[in-house]
Amino acid sequence: QVNLVESGGGLVQPGGSLRLSCAASGRTFGDYAIAWFRQAPGDEHRWVAAVTARGDTTRYTESVKGRFTVSRDNTLNTVFLQMNNLKPEDTAIYYCGATTRQLGLQYLRLSDVSYWGQGTQVTVSS
């Protein structure tokens, strides 16, 4: 069992930055890759980024490459999503999810995720 809690969302102007955190409880956190998804109003959940269980490999959707960085600290049971140069189209609820998949994380589907956080709102607006 892994419980995930996201934090760090908020309102930011275009070009600004936010750092989201996904804090996990559970002894097996280090066995799971962690993915970030987002859901904009009226849209479906879309995969954003992922990091493997050991933190040695990361993957990003094309629209956030060069702007977002995903990392993890397994000693803190926490995964981070650093978001820079934010754009209005990044506005969404951001969710972290834990998956046992380690390969092909760029093709992750919602059904591949075993545990979800409750989400944190990110709003990019002037």
Side-chain angles (χ1 to χ4, degrees), residues 9-46:
L11 173 64
V12 64
Q13 293 186 342
S17 297
L18 284 173
R19 188 174 82 155
L20 304 184
S21 297
C22 173
S25 60
R27 293 180 296 172
T28 61
F29 172 71
D31 293 340
Y32 291 88
I34 300 295
W36 288 94
F37 286 77
R38 64 186 179 186
Q39 186 178 28
D43 197 9
E44 59 187 26
H45 284 76
R46 295 188 183 276

Short mmCIF file of all heavy atoms in Angstrom, two decimals, residues 9-46:
data_model
loop_
_atom_site.label_atom_id
_atom_site.label_comp_id
_atom_site.label_asym_id
_atom_site.label_seq_id
_atom_site.Cartn_x
_atom_site.Cartn_y
_atom_site.Cartn_z
N GLY A 9 0.84 23.31 -5.39
CA GLY A 9 0.11 24.01 -6.43
C GLY A 9 -0.24 25.42 -6.01
O GLY A 9 -0.05 25.82 -4.87
N GLY A 10 -0.77 26.18 -6.96
CA GLY A 10 -1.18 27.55 -6.67
C GLY A 10 -1.38 28.36 -7.92
O GLY A 10 -1.44 27.81 -9.03
N LEU A 11 -1.49 29.65 -7.73
CA LEU A 11 -1.69 30.60 -8.83
C LEU A 11 -0.34 31.26 -9.14
O LEU A 11 0.33 31.77 -8.24
CB LEU A 11 -2.71 31.66 -8.44
CG LEU A 11 -2.91 32.82 -9.40
CD1 LEU A 11 -3.46 32.33 -10.74
CD2 LEU A 11 -3.84 33.87 -8.78
N VAL A 12 0.03 31.26 -10.41
CA VAL A 12 1.30 31.85 -10.81
C VAL A 12 1.11 32.56 -12.15
O VAL A 12 0.25 32.16 -12.95
CB VAL A 12 2.39 30.77 -10.89
CG1 VAL A 12 2.07 29.74 -11.97
CG2 VAL A 12 3.77 31.36 -11.10
N GLN A 13 1.87 33.59 -12.37
CA GLN A 13 1.80 34.32 -13.64
C GLN A 13 2.55 33.56 -14.73
O GLN A 13 3.47 32.77 -14.44
CB GLN A 13 2.39 35.71 -13.48
CG GLN A 13 1.59 36.62 -12.57
CD GLN A 13 2.14 38.04 -12.57
OE1 GLN A 13 3.27 38.28 -12.95
NE2 GLN A 13 1.31 38.99 -12.13
N PRO A 14 2.18 33.77 -15.98
CA PRO A 14 2.93 33.16 -17.08
C PRO A 14 4.42 33.49 -16.97
O PRO A 14 4.78 34.62 -16.66
CB PRO A 14 2.30 33.79 -18.33
CG PRO A 14 0.91 34.11 -17.90
CD PRO A 14 1.01 34.53 -16.46
N GLY A 15 5.23 32.47 -17.20
CA GLY A 15 6.67 32.63 -17.06
C GLY A 15 7.18 32.30 -15.68
O GLY A 15 8.40 32.21 -15.47
N GLY A 16 6.28 32.12 -14.73
CA GLY A 16 6.67 31.82 -13.37
C GLY A 16 6.99 30.35 -13.16
O GLY A 16 6.96 29.54 -14.10
N SER A 17 7.27 30.01 -11.90
CA SER A 17 7.67 28.65 -11.55
C SER A 17 6.90 28.16 -10.34
O SER A 17 6.46 28.95 -9.49
CB SER A 17 9.17 28.61 -11.22
OG SER A 17 9.97 28.96 -12.32
N LEU A 18 6.74 26.86 -10.28
CA LEU A 18 6.19 26.17 -9.12
C LEU A 18 6.93 24.84 -8.97
O LEU A 18 7.39 24.27 -9.96
CB LEU A 18 4.69 25.88 -9.29
CG LEU A 18 3.69 27.02 -9.12
CD1 LEU A 18 2.30 26.54 -9.49
CD2 LEU A 18 3.72 27.58 -7.71
N ARG A 19 6.99 24.37 -7.74
CA ARG A 19 7.52 23.04 -7.50
C ARG A 19 6.47 22.22 -6.78
O ARG A 19 6.08 22.55 -5.66
CB ARG A 19 8.81 23.05 -6.69
CG ARG A 19 9.45 21.67 -6.61
CD ARG A 19 10.80 21.66 -5.93
NE ARG A 19 10.69 21.64 -4.48
CZ ARG A 19 11.63 21.15 -3.67
NH1 ARG A 19 12.75 20.67 -4.18
NH2 ARG A 19 11.46 21.19 -2.37
N LEU A 20 6.02 21.18 -7.44
CA LEU A 20 5.05 20.27 -6.84
C LEU A 20 5.79 19.16 -6.11
O LEU A 20 6.87 18.73 -6.54
CB LEU A 20 4.14 19.66 -7.90
CG LEU A 20 3.38 20.63 -8.80
CD1 LEU A 20 2.44 19.85 -9.72
CD2 LEU A 20 2.62 21.67 -7.99
N SER A 21 5.20 18.71 -5.03
CA SER A 21 5.74 17.57 -4.28
C SER A 21 4.69 16.47 -4.22
O SER A 21 3.49 16.74 -4.16
CB SER A 21 6.11 17.99 -2.86
OG SER A 21 7.13 18.96 -2.86
N CYS A 22 5.17 15.26 -4.23
CA CYS A 22 4.32 14.08 -4.07
C CYS A 22 4.94 13.27 -2.94
O CYS A 22 5.96 12.60 -3.14
CB CYS A 22 4.28 13.29 -5.37
SG CYS A 22 3.41 11.71 -5.29
N ALA A 23 4.35 13.38 -1.76
CA ALA A 23 4.88 12.70 -0.59
C ALA A 23 4.17 11.36 -0.41
O ALA A 23 2.94 11.29 -0.49
CB ALA A 23 4.68 13.57 0.65
N ALA A 24 4.96 10.35 -0.18
CA ALA A 24 4.42 9.00 -0.08
C ALA A 24 4.63 8.41 1.30
O ALA A 24 5.63 8.69 1.97
CB ALA A 24 5.07 8.10 -1.12
N SER A 25 3.71 7.60 1.71
CA SER A 25 3.87 6.80 2.91
C SER A 25 3.73 5.34 2.50
O SER A 25 2.99 5.02 1.59
CB SER A 25 2.82 7.16 3.97
OG SER A 25 1.52 6.94 3.47
N GLY A 26 4.45 4.49 3.19
CA GLY A 26 4.45 3.08 2.81
C GLY A 26 5.87 2.61 2.62
O GLY A 26 6.71 3.32 2.07
N ARG A 27 6.13 1.42 3.07
CA ARG A 27 7.50 0.93 3.06
C ARG A 27 8.01 0.58 1.68
O ARG A 27 9.20 0.45 1.48
CB ARG A 27 7.60 -0.31 3.97
CG ARG A 27 7.39 -0.01 5.45
CD ARG A 27 7.49 -1.28 6.26
NE ARG A 27 6.43 -2.20 5.92
CZ ARG A 27 6.36 -3.46 6.36
NH1 ARG A 27 7.32 -3.93 7.13
NH2 ARG A 27 5.35 -4.22 6.02
N THR A 28 7.12 0.43 0.70
CA THR A 28 7.54 -0.03 -0.62
C THR A 28 7.63 1.09 -1.65
O THR A 28 7.66 0.84 -2.84
CB THR A 28 6.57 -1.10 -1.13
OG1 THR A 28 5.26 -0.53 -1.23
CG2 THR A 28 6.55 -2.30 -0.22
N PHE A 29 7.69 2.33 -1.18
CA PHE A 29 7.73 3.47 -2.10
C PHE A 29 8.83 3.31 -3.12
O PHE A 29 8.66 3.61 -4.30
CB PHE A 29 7.92 4.77 -1.31
CG PHE A 29 8.15 5.97 -2.18
CD1 PHE A 29 7.12 6.51 -2.93
CD2 PHE A 29 9.40 6.59 -2.24
CE1 PHE A 29 7.31 7.64 -3.72
CE2 PHE A 29 9.60 7.71 -3.03
CZ PHE A 29 8.56 8.22 -3.77
N GLY A 30 9.99 2.84 -2.69
CA GLY A 30 11.13 2.70 -3.59
C GLY A 30 10.96 1.64 -4.65
O GLY A 30 11.82 1.52 -5.54
N ASP A 31 9.89 0.87 -4.63
CA ASP A 31 9.64 -0.14 -5.66
C ASP A 31 8.85 0.42 -6.83
O ASP A 31 8.68 -0.27 -7.84
CB ASP A 31 8.84 -1.31 -5.07
CG ASP A 31 9.63 -2.10 -4.04
OD1 ASP A 31 10.89 -2.00 -4.05
OD2 ASP A 31 9.01 -2.80 -3.23
N TYR A 32 8.35 1.63 -6.71
CA TYR A 32 7.43 2.17 -7.70
C TYR A 32 8.04 3.32 -8.49
O TYR A 32 8.68 4.21 -7.93
CB TYR A 32 6.16 2.70 -7.01
CG TYR A 32 5.30 1.62 -6.41
CD1 TYR A 32 5.51 1.17 -5.12
CD2 TYR A 32 4.25 1.06 -7.15
CE1 TYR A 32 4.71 0.19 -4.56
CE2 TYR A 32 3.44 0.08 -6.60
CZ TYR A 32 3.69 -0.36 -5.31
OH TYR A 32 2.89 -1.33 -4.77
N ALA A 33 7.79 3.29 -9.78
CA ALA A 33 7.99 4.51 -10.57
C ALA A 33 6.84 5.46 -10.25
O ALA A 33 5.75 5.02 -9.89
CB ALA A 33 7.99 4.18 -12.06
N ILE A 34 7.10 6.74 -10.37
CA ILE A 34 6.08 7.75 -10.09
C ILE A 34 5.85 8.58 -11.35
O ILE A 34 6.80 9.05 -11.99
CB ILE A 34 6.49 8.68 -8.94
CG1 ILE A 34 6.72 7.88 -7.65
CG2 ILE A 34 5.44 9.76 -8.72
CD1 ILE A 34 5.48 7.20 -7.10
N ALA A 35 4.60 8.75 -11.67
CA ALA A 35 4.23 9.54 -12.84
C ALA A 35 3.38 10.72 -12.42
O ALA A 35 2.68 10.67 -11.40
CB ALA A 35 3.44 8.68 -13.82
N TRP A 36 3.47 11.77 -13.19
CA TRP A 36 2.60 12.94 -13.03
C TRP A 36 1.64 12.98 -14.22
O TRP A 36 2.06 12.87 -15.37
CB TRP A 36 3.41 14.23 -12.97
CG TRP A 36 4.18 14.41 -11.71
CD1 TRP A 36 5.48 14.06 -11.48
CD2 TRP A 36 3.71 15.00 -10.49
NE1 TRP A 36 5.85 14.38 -10.19
CE2 TRP A 36 4.78 14.97 -9.57
CE3 TRP A 36 2.49 15.57 -10.09
CZ2 TRP A 36 4.66 15.48 -8.27
CZ3 TRP A 36 2.39 16.06 -8.80
CH2 TRP A 36 3.46 16.01 -7.91
N PHE A 37 0.37 13.16 -13.91
CA PHE A 37 -0.66 13.39 -14.89
C PHE A 37 -1.30 14.75 -14.58
O PHE A 37 -1.18 15.26 -13.47
CB PHE A 37 -1.75 12.31 -14.81
CG PHE A 37 -1.36 10.97 -15.35
CD1 PHE A 37 -0.54 10.13 -14.60
CD2 PHE A 37 -1.82 10.53 -16.57
CE1 PHE A 37 -0.17 8.87 -15.08
CE2 PHE A 37 -1.47 9.28 -17.07
CZ PHE A 37 -0.65 8.46 -16.32
N ARG A 38 -1.99 15.28 -15.55
CA ARG A 38 -2.76 16.51 -15.29
C ARG A 38 -4.07 16.44 -16.02
O ARG A 38 -4.20 15.77 -17.04
CB ARG A 38 -1.97 17.75 -15.69
CG ARG A 38 -1.65 17.90 -17.17
CD ARG A 38 -0.73 19.10 -17.39
NE ARG A 38 -0.39 19.27 -18.80
CZ ARG A 38 0.49 20.17 -19.23
NH1 ARG A 38 1.12 20.97 -18.37
NH2 ARG A 38 0.75 20.28 -20.52
N GLN A 39 -5.04 17.15 -15.46
CA GLN A 39 -6.36 17.22 -16.07
C GLN A 39 -6.81 18.66 -16.11
O GLN A 39 -7.06 19.28 -15.07
CB GLN A 39 -7.37 16.37 -15.28
CG GLN A 39 -8.73 16.30 -15.94
CD GLN A 39 -9.70 15.42 -15.20
OE1 GLN A 39 -9.61 15.26 -13.99
NE2 GLN A 39 -10.64 14.82 -15.93
N ALA A 40 -6.89 19.19 -17.31
CA ALA A 40 -7.39 20.55 -17.51
C ALA A 40 -8.92 20.52 -17.54
O ALA A 40 -9.52 19.47 -17.79
CB ALA A 40 -6.85 21.11 -18.81
N PRO A 41 -9.57 21.66 -17.29
CA PRO A 41 -11.04 21.69 -17.33
C PRO A 41 -11.57 21.17 -18.65
O PRO A 41 -11.14 21.59 -19.72
CB PRO A 41 -11.34 23.18 -17.13
CG PRO A 41 -10.16 23.71 -16.40
CD PRO A 41 -8.98 22.95 -16.92
N GLY A 42 -12.52 20.24 -18.55
CA GLY A 42 -13.14 19.70 -19.74
C GLY A 42 -12.30 18.71 -20.53
O GLY A 42 -12.70 18.29 -21.63
N ASP A 43 -11.16 18.37 -20.00
CA ASP A 43 -10.25 17.47 -20.72
C ASP A 43 -10.05 16.20 -19.91
O ASP A 43 -10.43 16.10 -18.74
CB ASP A 43 -8.90 18.17 -20.95
CG ASP A 43 -8.06 17.50 -22.02
OD1 ASP A 43 -8.57 16.60 -22.71
OD2 ASP A 43 -6.87 17.89 -22.15
N GLU A 44 -9.42 15.21 -20.56
CA GLU A 44 -9.13 13.97 -19.85
C GLU A 44 -7.79 14.07 -19.14
O GLU A 44 -7.03 15.03 -19.34
CB GLU A 44 -9.08 12.82 -20.86
CG GLU A 44 -8.02 13.02 -21.94
CD GLU A 44 -8.09 11.96 -23.01
OE1 GLU A 44 -9.17 11.38 -23.23
OE2 GLU A 44 -7.05 11.70 -23.64
N HIS A 45 -7.48 13.07 -18.30
CA HIS A 45 -6.16 13.01 -17.68
C HIS A 45 -5.11 12.80 -18.77
O HIS A 45 -5.27 11.95 -19.65
CB HIS A 45 -6.09 11.84 -16.70
CG HIS A 45 -6.78 12.08 -15.40
ND1 HIS A 45 -8.15 12.02 -15.27
CD2 HIS A 45 -6.29 12.37 -14.18
CE1 HIS A 45 -8.47 12.27 -14.01
NE2 HIS A 45 -7.37 12.48 -13.33
N ARG A 46 -4.04 13.57 -18.68
CA ARG A 46 -2.95 13.42 -19.66
C ARG A 46 -1.63 13.24 -18.93
O ARG A 46 -1.34 13.96 -17.97
CB ARG A 46 -2.90 14.63 -20.59
CG ARG A 46 -4.12 14.77 -21.45
CD ARG A 46 -3.97 15.85 -22.49
NE ARG A 46 -5.20 16.00 -23.27
CZ ARG A 46 -5.52 15.27 -24.32
NH1 ARG A 46 -4.69 14.32 -24.75
NH2 ARG A 46 -6.66 15.47 -24.96
#
